[in-house]
Amino acid sequence: MSSKKVALVVIRRLPRYYRYLSELLLNGVDRISSKDLSERMGVTASQIRQDLNCFGGFGQQGYGYNVEYLYREIGKLLGLENGRTMIIIGAGNLGHAIAGYSNFERRGFRLIGIFDSNKGLVGDKVKGVGIMHSDDLESFIAVNKPDIAVLAIPKVSAQDMLKRLTATGIKGIWNFSMSELKVPDGMAIETVHLSDSLMTLSCKMMQTEME
Ligand code: NAI
């Protein structure tokens, strides 16, 4: 596997390959051509070959791809090989919804802690994980070394929380806080805006209505 930096647009397509391959594996498919994979995924075969060539290929001329091998290799590229641990900060509606979504665990993301500044929530359990007070965040991180912190807190608290998290040395932030946060070198952030997706849908609907 090549260790060079890969374009973000390619990285963004990898989870989709991973999902399709996991479905193929579940259906007992052990080999697939780039043409078949492209038809299932609705992208061109040359796109698939180009994407996978960024990482050194994985396919064989005339054979196609070994599904299990490709699944494992893409899992490695996605950093899922050894699993990831995560904590959620903010145990409100969104924090509960994220904690309750079992598919993350299936993808290798294990929830090990939930924190909230509301003392009234401390001790409640979400998916078997007890909510802790956010004052205990740093000591928990020092001992348990989670890989990812999920920010499910309001925008006003996000910047301060990021500062605290940066000092702990945590490496990944999954940011739902509606705040455009910048992280220092050595840290990665992925910001999610569900409303962007909804507005994109609305725009697509306008376009189909115009056809
Ligand atoms: P919520 O009000 O139900 O929960 C927020 C929780 O965060 C509360 O339990 C509160 O006590 C806790 N909290 C506030 N400041 C904190 C701090 N400094 N440390 C620890 N805990 C703290 O709100 P909800 O619906 O769960 O949404 C959470 C945030 O996520 C909101 O800001 C909302 O705008 C945002 N959101 C973003 C979405 C997205 O697509 N990016 C989708 C839905 C919500």
Side-chain angles (χ1 to χ4, degrees):
M1 185 204 322
S2 161
S3 60
K4 71 175 183 216
K5 274 212 162 181
V6 172
L8 192 59
V9 297
V10 180
I11 294 174
R12 292 219 181 276
R13 282 196 286 268
L14 289 181
R16 202 156 159 247
Y17 290 126
Y18 193 69
R19 252 190 307 114
Y20 271 82
L21 290 162
S22 96
E23 278 167 27
L24 289 172
L25 268 183
L26 279 176
N27 292 329
V29 178
D30 53 13
R31 177 168 31 143
I32 192 158
S33 66
S34 49
K35 183 168 169 286
D36 284 350
L37 190 58
S38 78
E39 275 163 14
R40 280 170 189 262
M41 292 185 61
V43 289
T44 64
S46 80
Q47 174 84 84
I48 292 179
R49 280 194 296 268
Q50 254 179 41
D51 283 351
L52 299 181
N53 277 342
C54 294
F55 309 102
F58 308 127
Q60 266 175 41
Q61 196 77 40
Y63 176 89
Y65 297 104
N66 176 308
V67 173
E68 194 180 348
Y69 176 73
L70 190 55
Y71 175 78
R72 260 191 287 113
E73 290 301 311
I74 293 182
K76 282 187 206 166
L77 294 169
L78 288 169
L80 304 178
E81 201 182 7
N82 300 315
R84 298 278 194 193
T85 52
M86 63 182 193
I87 56 172
I88 296 175
I89 306 172
N93 292 311
L94 183 62
H96 272 79
I98 293 171
Y101 185 50
S102 53
N103 210 28
F104 296 142
E105 182 119 27
R106 230 169 41 82
R107 294 281 180 237
F109 298 94
R110 189 163 56 86
L111 180 66
I112 59 168
I114 309 183
F115 295 85
D116 203 285
S117 55
N118 179 351
K119 287 195 167 74
L121 295 177
V122 172
D124 287 0
K125 288 209 161 168
V126 191
K127 276 279 205 167
V129 178
I131 299 173
M132 292 166 269
H133 194 269
S134 45
D135 285 352
D136 298 328
L137 190 60
E138 283 82 355
S139 55
F140 181 90
I141 293 177
V143 173
N144 297 283
K145 302 192 176 11
D147 299 305
I148 296 168
V150 182
L151 287 192
I153 53 176
K155 189 175 182 171
V156 286
S157 316
Q159 193 64 56
D160 281 351
M161 183 52 74
L162 178 65
K163 208 167 152 200
R164 285 176 63 186
L165 289 168
T166 303
T168 67
I170 203 162
K171 292 284 183 279
I173 306 289
W174 200 22
N175 174 32
F176 284 85
S177 72
M178 310 299 274
S179 182
E180 295 303 325
L181 301 172
K182 283 214 167 61
V183 292
D185 288 349
M187 214 175 181
I189 188 163
E190 177 69 14
T191 297
V192 181
H193 289 286
L194 292 178
S195 52
D196 285 6
S197 175
L198 195 53
M199 287 188 283
T200 305
L201 170 66
S202 174
C203 182
K204 284 180 176 169
M205 289 165 72
M206 292 236 317
Q207 286 178 344
T208 52
E209 282 154 16
M210 282 188 300
E211 279 167 11

